[in-house]
């Protein structure tokens, strides 16, 4: 009777979400591989801008690599809000459960008057198994993550970590390191401590830091290759600065990932074009267009592999919209603007607003007009040069601190105004692209898909829940992520009922628990894939996750079977 009750309680959160899902039956012959490509923070106008930008450079290049595979749109949202954030929306792609702003693969708490999906309050803050974890643990597939931001950023973290705050890198990084991620390519060399390096080494995973040659030469076995202290540069800047021998492109990282993940059991790979979102937050249309084109090249790599392989699903989408960008402005006679007037000026920029700021900072004022013309195709006016001369981080300024302060007051600038911000505003003056916000927006996002002939396609307007459910079923995963969560992330008080325990440590990453259970002394450390039973080290399939809101540790039931 207790077993039946436990099963019913476990199924409650699953059943409550069934009404939100489309049905995708388990196929007789599931896909061997799934590649999910996410262009972070990409509204449909960004896709259009990239397409026009490409055409302005080459009149024959009128389509993107993903164009023949566009199949619908995705409604992405949080559990309690229509406008998504990367953490809860990609979390839904991974777990099938929309979550709260900032949550990383973690079940949301309920806000009864705002919930957009039915929720089970008893599950609040619990870690939820991700699609990559499920494929690794139940099917023996290899798993990989590729990004251009620092690797514990929201979208990559959603694949193999769990947290109620996307900002808690000290909790997220060790989970990703210990969670059996066979391949990870992205930014974040500064985040790898000697202890974390040793943990990767113990798993037999090679770690390369700012070593593109080693990444290119690697064959077989696990590999992490990280570039840049945190995020990698915009693709436009990477190419213009000649950094192609230091930083790989997203397309090259995707090709490298596929080559090293391929194996008889198959793989699941998430590729993120991370910094389209960053450019959209900044309202930098040049970086938005060029970052998406770099992403589209990665899409071409994935599609080429899938077509050759014959048993790989490729899904291409975004996690949410961003910036309310419009191609054309009503104040500039938009309907009669030619391609040369509307789009061509963007293609003359050699750098993003960020890199324009860096280069300007070290350029003498007397040289700046000619330099900016070379860098952007726009010659600044005397008034604009006077403005740049006053910006706080312009290292070559001829003004005193008091003169700068007076200029700030005259122009109504914030004290945090920087050169990169100036160049975003400068672009808005000179380019015919409009923006409504620096934040996320709530429209549905594009969906492109490639499906092997023997599997059903995904079509139409779907939700982020549907997209997860499609990937899960087409991989042949019968159990939902919530069902698997009770196996791999069960609360410690459910595993060891009424057992005396002591929790120590001030910060989440320092938390430890000692449990006395049936004559055994069990020690667990937060965010590690190990347990100590009577002083003997035991390996677990997934990391132990500590959740401060519940003051509980969540771990695999396999430990019980070892006692």
């Amino acid at each position: 009777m207790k077993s039946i009750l436990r099963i019913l309680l476990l199924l409650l959160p699953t059943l409550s979400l069934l009404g939100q899902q489309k049905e995708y039956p388990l196929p007789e012959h599931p896909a061997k591989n799934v590649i999910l490509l996410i262009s972070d923070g990409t509204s449909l106008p960004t896709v259009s801008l990239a397409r026009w930008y490409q055409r302005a450079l080459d009149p024959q290049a009128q389509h993107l690599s993903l164009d023949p595979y566009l199949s619908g749109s995705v409604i992405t949202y949080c559990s309690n809000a229509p406008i998504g954030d990367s953490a809860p929306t990609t979390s839904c792609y991974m777990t099938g459960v929309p979550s709260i702003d900032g949550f990383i693969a973690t079940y949301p708490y309920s806000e009864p008057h705002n919930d957009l999906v039915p929720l089970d309050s008893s599950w609040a803050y619990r870690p939820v198994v991700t699609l990559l974890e499920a494929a690794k643990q139940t099917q023996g597939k290899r798993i990989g993550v590729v990004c251009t931001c620092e690797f514990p950023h929201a979208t990559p973290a959603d694949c193999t970590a769990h947290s109620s705050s996307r900002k808690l890198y000290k909790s997220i990084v060790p989970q990703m390191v210990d969670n059996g991620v066979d391949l990870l390519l992205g930014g974040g060399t500064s985040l790898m401590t000697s202890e974390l390096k040793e943990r990767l080494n113990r798993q037999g995973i090679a770690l390369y830091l700012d070593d593109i040659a080693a990444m290119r030469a690697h064959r077989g076995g696990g590999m992490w290759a990280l570039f840049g202290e945190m995020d990698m540069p915009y693709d436009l800047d990477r190419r213009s600065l000649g950094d192609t021998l230091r930083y790989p492109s997203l397309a090259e990282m995707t090709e490298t990932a596929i080559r090293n993940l391929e194996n008889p059991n198959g793989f699941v790979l998430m590729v993120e074009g991370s910094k389209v979102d960053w450019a959209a937050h900044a309202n930098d249309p040049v970086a938005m267009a060029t970052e998406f084109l770099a992403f589209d090249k990665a899409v071409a790599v994935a599609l080429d592999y899938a077509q050759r392989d014959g048993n790989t699903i490729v899904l291409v989408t975004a996690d949410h919209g961003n910036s309310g960008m419009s191609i054309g402005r009503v104040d500039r006679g938009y309907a009669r603007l030619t391609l040369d007037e509307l789009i061509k000026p963007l293609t003359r920029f050699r750098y993003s607003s960020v890199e324009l700021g860096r280069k300007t900072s070290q350029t003498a004022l007397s040289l700046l007009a000619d330099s900016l013309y070379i860098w952007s195709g726009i010659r600044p006016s005397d008034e604009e040069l006077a403005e740049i001369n006053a910006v706080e981080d312009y290292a070559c300024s001829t003004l005193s601190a008091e003169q700068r302060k007076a200029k700030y007051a005259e122009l109504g600038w914030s004290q945090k105004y920087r050169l990169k911000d100036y160049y975003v505003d400068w672009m808005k003056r000179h380019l015919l692209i409009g923006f409504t916000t620096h934040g996320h927006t709530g429209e549905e996002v594009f969906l492109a898909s490639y499906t092997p002939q023997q599997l059903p396609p995904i079509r139409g307007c779907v939700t982020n829940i549907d997209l997860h459910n499609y990937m899960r079923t087409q991989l042949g995963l019968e159990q939902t992520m919530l069902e698997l969560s009770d196996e791999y992330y069960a609360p410690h008080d459910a595993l060891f009922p009424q057992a005396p325990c002591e929790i120590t440590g001030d910060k989440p990453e320092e938390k430890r628990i000692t449990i006395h259970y049936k004559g055994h002394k069990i020690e667990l450390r937060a965010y590690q894939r190990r347990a100590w039973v009577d002083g003997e080290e035991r390996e677990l399939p997934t990391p132990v996750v500590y959740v401060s809101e519940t003051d509980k540790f969540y771990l695999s039931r396999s430990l019980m079977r070892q006692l």
Side-chain angles (χ1 to χ4, degrees), residues 11 66 72 84 121 126 159 161 197 204 237 294-295 367 378 427 459 482 524 550 563:
L11 287 175
L66 61 79
S121 295
R126 282 187 62 168
C159 298
K197 292 174 184 177
D237 300 333
F295 174 77
L367 302 175
I378 299 170
M427 288 178 178
R459 296 282 186 268
L482 290 171
L524 303 170
T550 62
L563 299 179

Side-chain angles (χ1 to χ4, degrees), residues 177 192 196-205 207 224:
V177 166
M192 295 303 297
L196 295 171
K197 292 174 184 177
E198 176 54 33
R199 288 202 213 174
L200 283 177
N201 184 59
R202 197 162 54 228
Q203 298 173 64
I205 296 174
L207 173 64
W224 282 37

Side-chain angles (χ1 to χ4, degrees), residues 317-338:
T317 190
D319 49 1
H320 54 77
N322 193 340
S323 81
M325 188 266 286
S326 64
I327 303 172
R329 285 165 32 185
V330 70
D331 62 330
R332 299 295 291 272
Y334 62 93
R336 295 184 179 181
L337 293 171
T338 66

Side-chain angles (χ1 to χ4, degrees), residues 207-228:
L207 173 64
Y208 307 123
L209 301 179
D210 285 321
D211 192 344
I212 194 170
M215 181 202 78
R216 288 170 174 170
H218 186 89
R219 296 291 187 280
M223 170 178 61
W224 282 37
L226 304 178
F227 303 91

Side-chain angles (χ1 to χ4, degrees), residues 193-505:
T193 64
S194 56
E195 181 196 353
L196 295 171
K197 292 174 184 177
E198 176 54 33
R199 288 202 213 174
L200 283 177
N201 184 59
R202 197 162 54 228
Q203 298 173 64
I205 296 174
L207 173 64
Y208 307 123
L209 301 179
D210 285 321
D211 192 344
I212 194 170
M215 181 202 78
R216 288 170 174 170
H218 186 89
R219 296 291 187 280
M223 170 178 61
W224 282 37
L226 304 178
F227 303 91
E229 290 188 2
M230 292 295 280
D231 58 298
M232 297 170 68
Y234 285 125
D235 188 71
L236 177 64
D237 300 333
R238 181 187 72 89
R239 290 182 285 110
S240 295
L241 292 170
D243 275 346
T244 55
L245 296 180
R246 181 182 176 191
Y247 297 102
S249 67
L250 187 63
E252 182 180 4
M253 290 194 290
T254 302
E255 185 175 21
T256 301
I258 292 170
R259 183 179 68 241
N260 284 282
L261 287 173
E262 196 172 22
N263 75 101
N265 284 340
F267 64 85
V268 179
L269 170 64
M270 191 288 294
V271 176
E272 182 193 31
S274 313
K275 296 186 66 171
V276 181
D277 180 70
W278 297 32
H281 278 300
N283 287 181
D284 181 338
V286 175
M288 290 167 71
T290 53
E291 280 299 290
F292 190 82
L293 288 173
F295 174 77
D296 190 59
K297 288 182 173 66
V299 171
V301 169
L303 289 168
D304 179 65
Y305 171 78
Q307 289 163 349
R308 287 185 283 108
D309 176 69
N311 201 8
T312 298
I313 290 176
V314 176
L315 298 168
V316 190
T317 190
D319 49 1
H320 54 77
N322 193 340
S323 81
M325 188 266 286
S326 64
I327 303 172
R329 285 165 32 185
V330 70
D331 62 330
R332 299 295 291 272
Y334 62 93
R336 295 184 179 181
L337 293 171
T338 66
L339 184 68
D340 284 351
E341 293 170 319
L342 184 60
I343 305 297
K344 200 74 172 181
L346 279 73
T347 68
R348 298 190 182 105
F349 277 75
R350 293 176 57 186
Y351 305 104
S352 71
S353 56
V354 172
E355 191 57 37
L356 280 175
R358 288 181 183 140
K359 295 186 77 64
T360 293
S361 182
Q362 303 302 320
T363 303
L365 189 63
S366 60
L367 302 175
L368 198 51
D370 289 340
S371 296
L372 277 171
Y373 182 73
I374 293 169
W375 297 337
S376 69
I378 299 170
R379 186 173 293 279
S381 66
D382 291 342
E383 290 80 7
E384 288 171 331
L385 289 172
E387 291 171 353
I388 294 170
N389 196 31
V391 179
E392 186 175 338
D393 60 339
Y394 179 44
C396 298
S397 176
T398 61
L399 301 180
S400 68
E402 285 301 314
Q403 288 173 319
R404 279 183 166 180
K405 186 176 180 181
K407 191 68 173 178
Y408 264 62
E410 175 192 331
L411 296 170
W413 286 350
S414 159
Q415 290 304 307
K416 293 183 179 180
Y417 201 62
R418 299 290 186 267
L419 284 168
K420 65 179 182 179
D421 305 315
Y422 180 84
Y423 282 116
V424 165
D425 290 339
W426 197 58
M427 288 178 178
K428 289 178 180 178
R429 291 181 194 174
H430 293 281
L431 301 177
L432 305 180
I433 305 297
F435 293 91
T436 64
T437 178
H438 285 277
H440 295 177
T441 49
E443 71 277 11
E444 63 266 25
V445 296
F446 71 96
L447 173 65
S449 58
Y450 173 84
T451 310
Q453 206 166 25
Q454 73 274 17
L455 295 174
I458 182 169
R459 296 282 186 268
C461 183
V462 300
T463 67
N464 43 9
I465 300 175
D466 296 326
L467 190 63
H468 165 81
N469 202 35
Y470 178 78
M471 290 188 288
R472 176 182 65 81
T473 54
Q474 301 316 296
L475 277 170
L477 290 165
E478 186 171 358
Q479 291 177 287
T480 68
M481 301 303 102
L482 290 171
E483 291 168 333
L484 289 170
S485 298
D486 194 59
E487 169 63 27
Y488 291 101
Y489 293 110
H492 77 264
D493 56 351
L495 289 183
F496 309 104
Q498 300 180 334
C501 63
E502 179 187 8
I503 296 176
T504 59

Side-chain angles (χ1 to χ4, degrees), residues 41 52 77 88 144 248 276 407 497 526 545 553:
W52 280 116
Y77 50 89
V276 181
K407 191 68 173 178
V545 177
F553 287 74

